[in-house]
Amino acid sequence: MEYSINTFEKLLNACEKENKKIYEIMQEKEASDFEITVEEVRKKTLKNIQAMKEAIKKGLNSTEKSISGLCGDDCYKLENKYKQKKALFGRLFEKITTYALATMEENLRMNKIVACPTAGSCGIVPAVIIALAEEYDLSEEEQINALITAGTIGYVISSKVAMAGAVAGCQAECGVASAMSAAAAVQILGGNDNQIVNAAALALKNLLGLTCDPVAGLVEIPCVKRNVFLAIHAITAAELSLSKIESKIPYDEVIDAMVQTGQLMSPLLKETSQGGLAVTKTGKFINKDLKSKYTMLEGK
């Protein structure tokens, strides 16, 4: 694969020239770059999918709190709510929201997850792909296609900006994960290449400026619940794109805007825990309380 795919325009041009889907272009490029076969690329992707499923399964069956004690039982609470009263938007909504929580809670327990694109955003892509796979009875091959499609979106964006809250805020973590998930959903639901990229653009442009302001410097508040919200955000973008509603700002220009927004964002709002939620009255109290507890433990 000779293509340099560092913009969405180049990606779509390659798809058109080769008459191939996004995942086909990317799996061939991956195989060429790492000097392996396409089959090996797909086997590696399947391992990631299996790891995602395992994290969801374990997360759904655990109420173990994080070391901080701040989070860990929200998935249990949500599942109980759904048992008593179904979600307004149906079973798929229930799965996406609980799967996102289950995965993020496994992350804060320091168990195995798939960083997609980061650990702090690890619940979004698995929740969307696995929930849709179950609801639509997707084959392993179709699930692999979806995850490679999601990965392609992240790959193109990463050519312009690092996937890190410290670089561009949470728009570069959960925001990108939501865009990746929107693209995967459109792939699963039969959209074309342009609709796939358009869904990613719709998702991302409505998350520009999303700050990274973790309370006490932990990937817990607001990270855990943010994954749930942005998984659903991805589905909204997919529905719009499949309805032929287009982003008026072209795909690559949305990424440029995200880069600029990240550059303009105050360092206080980029993973330093020196602004936003982290310095609210309650945020400061939590931080002080945890430091006191850790000091006591170290002294024993």
Side-chain angles (χ1 to χ4, degrees):
M1 176 61 65
E2 300 295 328
Y3 296 110
S4 172
I5 303 174
N6 56 8
T7 68
F8 287 121
E9 182 180 9
K10 289 180 180 178
L11 173 63
L12 293 176
N13 285 341
C15 290
E16 184 176 3
K17 183 176 181 179
E18 299 291 332
N19 192 28
K20 292 177 179 177
K21 296 285 289 183
I22 287 173
Y23 74 84
E24 292 175 312
I25 291 291
M26 198 59 192
Q27 67 187 13
E28 289 177 12
K29 177 173 174 51
E30 186 89 350
S32 176
D33 288 349
F34 290 93
E35 298 182 342
I36 58 178
T37 65
V38 167
E39 185 57 33
E40 286 176 301
V41 172
R42 294 182 67 82
K43 284 181 179 179
K44 288 177 181 289
T45 306
L46 180 58
K47 285 184 179 180
N48 283 326
I49 291 171
Q50 291 169 338
M52 289 176 175
K53 291 179 179 178
E54 184 61 25
I56 289 171
K57 181 179 178 181
K58 290 180 67 176
L60 289 173
N61 291 290
S62 178
T63 56
E64 179 188 348
K65 288 291 193 77
S66 61
I67 294 175
S68 71
L70 294 173
C71 302
D73 59 355
D74 286 336
C75 184
Y76 172 77
K77 292 175 182 176
L78 189 60
E79 282 192 288
N80 275 348
K81 184 271 173 188
Y82 289 150
K83 288 177 183 177
Q84 296 170 25
K85 190 173 183 179
K86 299 299 181 182
L88 293 175
F89 295 142
R91 181 59 180 154
L92 179 59
F93 183 92
E94 292 180 5
K95 285 189 174 184
I96 291 174
T97 52
T98 53
Y99 290 5
L101 273 176
T103 304
M104 272 301 292
E105 290 184 342
E106 280 300 285
N107 176 58
L108 60 86
R109 295 182 189 112
M110 302 299 178
N111 290 329
K112 185 177 180 180
I113 52 89
V114 178
C116 44
T118 64
S121 61
C122 69
I124 301 171
V125 173
V128 171
I129 291 180
I130 305 308
L132 285 173
E134 291 177 355
E135 288 300 290
Y136 288 90
D137 194 25
L138 298 186
S139 66
E140 283 189 348
E141 294 301 308
E142 291 172 308
Q143 294 174 54
I144 292 169
N145 297 346
L147 186 52
I148 293 176
T149 299
T152 305
I153 300 302
Y155 175 85
V156 173
I157 296 173
S158 70
S159 69
K160 290 191 176 183
V161 63
M163 306 297 194
V167 174
C170 201
Q171 60 174 359
E173 294 200 26
C174 287
V176 173
S178 191
M180 292 166 63
S181 301
V186 174
Q187 164 63 38
I188 289 170
L189 298 171
N192 59 41
D193 293 328
N194 191 70
Q195 289 174 320
I196 288 170
V197 174
N198 183 61
L202 287 169
L204 190 57
K205 79 174 188 177
N206 285 289
L207 295 170
L208 294 182
L210 186 61
T211 61
C212 183
D213 51 354
V215 172
L218 302 173
V219 188
E220 299 190 35
I221 303 170
C223 318
V224 174
K225 300 178 186 68
R226 181 170 287 169
N227 274 248
V228 183
F229 282 97
L230 297 196
I232 297 301
H233 181 84
I235 296 299
T236 303
E239 291 279 29
L240 291 174
S241 191
L242 288 166
S243 302
K244 299 182 180 179
I245 296 173
E246 297 184 354
S247 170
K248 300 301 182 183
I249 307 300
Y251 334 107
D252 290 308
E253 290 181 31
V254 172
I255 309 308
D256 292 338
M258 185 186 82
V259 173
Q260 182 194 45
T261 302
Q263 292 169 344
L264 293 172
M265 193 180 292
S266 169
L268 302 181
L269 298 171
K270 292 194 287 188
E271 211 170 326
T272 61
S273 296
Q274 295 179 318
L277 293 173
V279 296
T280 59
K281 181 179 179 180
T282 299
K284 288 180 179 179
F285 174 82
I286 291 172
N287 185 40
K288 183 178 179 180
D289 185 54
L290 288 176
K291 283 185 177 180
S292 177
K293 288 179 180 177
Y294 293 152
T295 301
M296 289 176 64
L297 288 172
E298 290 173 357
K300 289 184 178 180

